[in-house]
Amino acid sequence: PCRTFHGSNRLLTSQIVSHYESINQCKKELPEYFNFASDVLDEWAQLEKDGRKPANPAFWWVNDEGQEVKWSFGELGSLSRKAANVLCEACGLQRGDRVIAVLPRVPEWWLLNVACMRAGIIFIPGTSQLTAKDISYRLQASKAKCIITNDTLAPAVESVLPGSQFLKSKLLVGQGSRDGWLNLKELL
């Protein structure tokens, strides 16, 4: 049995389909704890490394200007481990802590999403269209300990920081630097 993946005519491998079917038929037990980063991403990276799965991009991003970022499963796994270390060590976050990401959909958005899954940190996405009032509400309601944004959106975030009693770290995605902010690229 085969299915198409997102409407393309490429088929899911029979190995993956049979694994899925065996879970549906209760022939395999679901793990007590499931982590997408380690249980899926790292497994696929190992299958590629061992030559048991053809190398395909795990992540492929293209912007309006045609710039692209393409990561293999191994690269995404490695980068997400590094990003998880940044969140845990540099930002001082622990399993169960909350992070708000106010970013456009740049590659780092997905990288940080996977890093949070890997580390057990709760990722709260926020659109880049949030106002300062929206950001303030989300910070207080979520009790987020870290906020992640870019150079363009940082001023709106900074305008509400005095009222953020739970926030411990601020992470900047981009080339620039700001006082009191950690830079993701430098830390990676």
Side-chain angles (χ1 to χ4, degrees), residues 19 23 28-36 38-40:
H19 181 77
I23 289 172
K28 286 191 178 188
E29 284 194 34
L30 292 174
E32 183 178 353
Y33 299 102
F34 175 78
N35 185 304
F36 174 80
S38 57
D39 294 335
V40 176

Side-chain angles (χ1 to χ4, degrees), residues 38 42 56 81 99 102 129 135 145 155:
S38 57
D42 292 349
N56 286 312
R81 280 188 288 282
V99 169
V102 183
Q129 297 174 333
I135 295 168
K145 292 188 178 178

Side-chain angles (χ1 to χ4, degrees), residues 24 26 55 60 107 135 161 178 181:
N24 274 349
C26 299
W60 193 348
I135 295 168
L161 291 182
R178 296 182 84 82
W181 289 77

Side-chain angles (χ1 to χ4, degrees), residues 61 101-110 126-129 149-150 153:
W61 175 88
V102 183
L103 290 168
R105 295 307 178 254
V106 292
E108 292 85 357
W109 187 92
W110 282 276
T127 174
S128 55
Q129 297 174 333
T149 195
N150 63 11
L153 300 168

